[in-house]
């Protein structure tokens, strides 16, 4: 804090004794000046501003703070690219999230699926509620602790941050609540490789749809459960879950090897299921009248490696596609007597781990490979093959090698055919906007960060992320799972 110089007196001052203050001789003026014993603290208001809050001029302090800030944040941190130093940890910038919650379970759940509900579509109010199913991966010596989890997550409030004045009126009904997790478990005797849910509408519209799950296990079995009673339990007090409700409707044992490829047909309400295994075989199972599940024992063959992912066409009920560790994607017709692919395309020199068929633009297919590259393909450019050979070599309409580890999940936005979510082994869950075009006159640097394509919208850090899924009824809501739990 600045001090003014000691005042000079006309007469020499006597030495101080007993802590007495020096007294300035009185003037001869008739009206004396009022003397404030604290007036030596500041000379003027100008001096107060100059002193600042810590005794230094504001400009000097701000310059030092700026230098310190530069030392802390010298570059953009990109998960998967940048490395944390010892003792450092990542914290999300909550101002960039509308909603962010995390959930841990006793055992990791590396595969899950979002279940549609009766709460309405295009929901934008908070707190939010969602339903999901997930399968656990318990330690091998404790395999009997595995389970199929049916979950209800409620009280999911939006982030507590300043919002635009325009949204203030809309927030009147929003409440800050603590998240609530409710679960009902179905015992399993094996680790879940992948689980997918399917809903069959009831003949009575007032009743909730029947919800089936297909769980592909490490024991090479496919278990089909009806989890409708478990979902009803959350919202209908008094609902009783009996042991019979937790028994599978069917246990399918046609696979001789375990697998990861599972998908329900979106165009067959009663239930039609595709499953693929590590021996490259694909089977079709259908729910017949009376609730009997029948598997065609003639497998589709053609892959030279494991079937990693599989998906039905969103608009052709007899067509599906499969991705394999042999680097190919094959398109099939279930009516084919030969059980061979109609089209086969090599899309990567490494394993093709995952794929996603756009439900908005049915000729677009996205694939993710083991080398970290993901691409978008126009199926109209894929020509039928006369043999099983991969003789078609079209080019992708877009491809990205931003990730440096394997792609573990990929999914198109349910209503926007330009938005894609991608999960990778570098602990990132990223969002991409394919509507953004790259200007050749610009570099591939975004905001001054090297090798970041402009189509990259968002990067979320998630430990060992394995799967991600959009919620079909909550715009912009995406759920992921990994070794660190759900988010």
């Amino acid at each position: 804090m600045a001090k003014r110089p000691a005042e000079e007196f006309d007469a020499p001052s006597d030495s101080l004794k007993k802590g007495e203050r020096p007294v300035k001789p009185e003037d001869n003026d008739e009206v004396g000046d009022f003397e404030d014993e604290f007036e030596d603290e500041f000379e003027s208001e100008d001096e107060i501003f100059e002193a600042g809050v810590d005794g230094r001029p504001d400009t000097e302090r701000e310059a030092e703070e700026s230098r310190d800030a530069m030392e802390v944040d010298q570059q953009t941190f990109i998960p998967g690219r940048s490395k944390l130093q010892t003792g450092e940890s990542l914290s999300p910038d909550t101002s960039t999230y509308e909603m962010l919650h995390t959930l841990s379970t006793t055992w990791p759940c590396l595969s899950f699926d979002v279940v549609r509900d009766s709460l309405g579509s295009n929901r934008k109010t908070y707190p939010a509620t969602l339903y999901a199913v997930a399968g656990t991966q318990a330690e091998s010596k404790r395999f009997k602790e595995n389970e199929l989890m049916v979950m209800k997550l409620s009280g999911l409030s939006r982030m507590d941050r300043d919002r635009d004045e325009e949204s203030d009126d809309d927030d009147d009904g929003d409440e800050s609540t603590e998240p609530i997790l409710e679960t009902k478990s179905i015992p399993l005797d094996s680790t879940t490789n992948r689980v997918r849910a399917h809903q069959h509408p009831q003949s009575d519209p007032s009743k909730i749809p029947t919800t089936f799950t297909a769980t592909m296990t490490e024991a090479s079995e496919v278990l089909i459960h009806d989890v409708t009673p478990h979902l009803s339990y959350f919202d209908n007090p008094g609902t009783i879950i009996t042991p019979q409700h937790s028994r599978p409707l069917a246990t399918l044992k046609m696979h001789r090897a375990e697998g990861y490829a599972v998908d329900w047909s979106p165009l067959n309400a009663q239930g039609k299921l595709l499953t693929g295994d590590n021996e490259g075989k694909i089977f079709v199972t259908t729910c017949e009248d009376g609730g009997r599940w029948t598997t065609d024992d003639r497998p589709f063959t053609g892959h030279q490696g494991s079937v990693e992912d599989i998906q039905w066409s969103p608009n052709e009920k007899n067509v599906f596609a499969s991705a394999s560790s042999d680097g190919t994607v094959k398109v099939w017709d279930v009516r084919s007597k030969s059980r061979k692919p109609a089209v086969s395309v090599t899309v990567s020199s490494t394993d093709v781990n995952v794929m996603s068929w756009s439900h908005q633009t049915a000729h677009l297919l996205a694939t993710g490979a083991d080398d970290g590259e993901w691409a978008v393909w126009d199926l109209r450019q894929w020509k039928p093959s006369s043999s099983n050979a991969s003789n078609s070599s079209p080019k992708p309409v877009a491809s990205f090698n931003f990730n440096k580890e394997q792609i573990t999940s990929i999914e198109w936005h349910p209503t926007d055919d330009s938005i894609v979510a991608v999960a990778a082994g570098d602990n990132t869950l990223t969002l991409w906007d394919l509507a953004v075009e790259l200007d050749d006159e610009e570099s591939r640097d975004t905001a001054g960060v090297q090798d970041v394509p402009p189509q990259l919208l968002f990067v979320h850090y998630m430990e060992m992320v394995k799967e991600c899924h959009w919620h079909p009824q909550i715009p912009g809501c995406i759920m992921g799972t990994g070794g660190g739990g759900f988010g």
Side-chain angles (χ1 to χ4, degrees):
M1 183 176 297
K3 303 285 186 179
R4 69 177 178 84
E7 298 184 23
E8 297 180 1
F9 302 103
D10 294 337
S13 61
D14 297 329
S15 59
L16 297 177
K17 294 181 180 180
K18 299 182 181 180
E20 296 178 354
R21 293 175 57 88
V23 179
K24 183 178 179 179
E26 294 182 359
D27 296 336
N28 294 328
D29 296 340
E30 293 182 1
V31 181
D33 293 333
F34 175 77
E35 180 181 23
D36 183 357
E37 62 174 330
F38 301 108
E39 80 172 309
D40 62 335
E41 293 293 332
F42 297 107
E43 184 69 25
S44 66
E45 291 184 0
D46 293 338
E47 192 174 20
I48 294 176
F49 281 106
E50 181 183 353
V53 296
D54 60 356
R56 295 178 298 163
D58 290 338
T59 54
E60 178 183 335
R61 186 184 66 261
E62 291 171 356
E64 182 177 329
E65 291 174 351
S66 178
R67 290 194 301 272
D68 292 342
M70 289 294 290
E71 293 174 1
V72 173
D73 186 18
Q74 293 182 345
Q75 60 182 357
T76 301
F77 188 95
I78 303 176
R81 299 283 191 90
S82 308
K83 300 296 182 182
L84 288 174
Q85 302 299 319
T86 303
E88 291 183 335
S89 61
L90 284 179
S91 295
D93 180 0
T94 56
S95 67
T96 63
Y97 295 84
E98 183 74 8
M99 178 174 68
L100 178 63
H101 296 278
T102 58
L103 165 67
S104 297
T105 53
T106 303
W107 295 110
C109 298
L110 303 185
S111 182
F112 77 101
D113 204 4
V114 176
V115 178
R116 294 185 69 96
D117 54 55
S118 59
L119 300 179
S121 299
N122 199 31
R123 304 200 299 265
K124 298 180 182 180
T125 58
Y126 292 89
T129 298
L130 62 86
Y131 301 80
V133 292
T136 62
Q137 286 80 32
E139 294 178 0
S140 56
K141 60 183 179 181
R142 300 172 66 177
F143 66 93
K144 288 188 176 296
E145 296 182 19
N146 279 299
E147 57 189 7
L148 174 64
M149 298 178 61
V150 184
M151 303 183 291
K152 176 185 178 181
L153 291 83
S154 58
L156 303 176
S157 57
R158 73 168 68 195
M159 300 305 297
D160 184 15
R161 56 184 173 83
D162 294 332
R163 294 183 287 273
D164 295 338
E165 294 181 0
E166 297 180 61
S167 63
D168 288 343
D169 295 337
D170 298 332
D171 295 341
D172 293 339
D174 297 348
E175 298 179 2
S176 295
T177 60
E178 289 296 325
I180 300 172
L181 170 64
E182 301 172 76
T183 64
K184 295 299 292 183
S185 298
I186 297 174
L188 299 178
D189 290 333
S190 182
T191 291
T192 295
N193 287 349
R194 192 158 291 172
V195 60
R196 293 292 181 263
H198 171 74
Q199 290 187 324
H200 170 46
Q202 299 272 20
S203 55
D204 184 352
S206 64
K207 295 183 178 180
I208 65 172
T210 300
T211 302
F212 297 128
T213 61
T215 308
M216 203 160 192
T217 71
E218 196 176 45
S220 306
E221 295 179 339
V222 180
L223 307 176
I224 299 177
H225 289 89
D226 181 357
V227 297
T228 311
H230 305 76
L231 293 167
S232 298
Y233 173 86
F234 299 132
D235 303 312
N236 297 282
T239 300
I240 298 175
I241 306 296
T242 66
Q244 182 65 30
H245 289 144
S246 295
R247 294 193 180 102
L249 299 177
T251 300
L252 310 179
K253 299 184 178 182
M254 61 281 191
H255 293 283
R256 295 185 301 176
E258 66 175 309
Y260 294 84
V262 182
D263 193 42
W264 292 94
S265 171
L267 303 178
N268 187 311
Q270 193 161 345
K272 195 166 189 176
L273 182 70
L274 285 168
T275 54
D277 60 33
N278 289 350
E279 291 183 344
K281 295 181 179 179
I282 300 170
F283 289 89
V284 179
T285 301
T286 306
C287 182
E288 308 289 353
D289 293 337
R292 183 169 177 266
W293 295 86
T294 303
T295 300
D296 191 326
D297 59 5
R298 300 170 300 156
F300 293 88
T301 58
H303 282 298
Q304 302 304 308
S306 59
V307 181
E308 297 294 318
D309 203 0
I310 200 164
Q311 282 206 350
W312 288 97
S313 166
N315 65 345
E316 296 185 54
K317 66 178 183 179
N318 295 313
V319 177
F320 69 90
S322 59
S324 171
S325 60
D326 62 12
T328 69
V329 169
K330 300 183 187 298
V331 181
W332 314 70
D333 190 324
V334 295
R335 297 167 296 186
S336 170
K337 295 181 179 180
S338 68
R339 303 316 236 196
K340 298 299 181 182
V343 180
S344 181
V345 175
T346 299
V347 301
S348 176
S349 59
T350 62
D351 299 3
V352 185
N353 297 328
V354 289
M355 59 187 296
S356 179
W357 210 320
S358 172
H359 282 241
Q360 294 297 311
T361 307
H363 61 264
L364 293 180
L365 184 76
T367 59
D370 215 45
D371 59 1
E373 184 172 359
W374 70 275
V376 177
W377 306 84
D378 186 342
L379 297 181
R380 297 173 299 183
Q381 300 176 3
W382 291 18
K383 305 302 180 183
S385 51
S386 57
S387 66
N388 190 39
S390 301
N391 54 8
S392 180
S393 56
K395 300 297 182 183
V397 294
S399 63
F400 303 93
N401 59 0
F402 170 78
N403 299 99
K404 301 308 178 185
E405 299 290 341
Q406 73 276 11
I407 305 299
T408 59
S409 186
I410 190 168
E411 188 167 290
W412 290 93
H413 190 284
T415 58
D416 190 333
D417 61 1
S418 67
I419 305 296
V420 181
V422 179
D426 55 10
N427 300 324
T428 62
L429 197 166
T430 53
L431 303 182
W432 299 75
D433 185 355
L434 302 182
V436 177
E437 297 182 359
L438 179 65
D439 190 341
D440 293 336
E441 296 180 358
E442 300 176 355
S443 67
R444 292 184 65 86
D445 300 349
T446 300
V449 182
Q450 188 175 9
D451 296 329
V452 175
Q455 291 86 354
L456 180 60
L457 280 181
F458 195 81
V459 181
H460 174 71
Y461 178 85
M462 191 170 189
E463 183 182 356
M464 293 176 58
V465 59
K466 294 298 182 184
E467 276 191 15
C468 63
H469 298 296
W470 295 96
H471 195 292
Q473 298 166 279
I474 305 178
C477 176
I478 188 167
M479 186 174 178
T481 187
F486 291 94

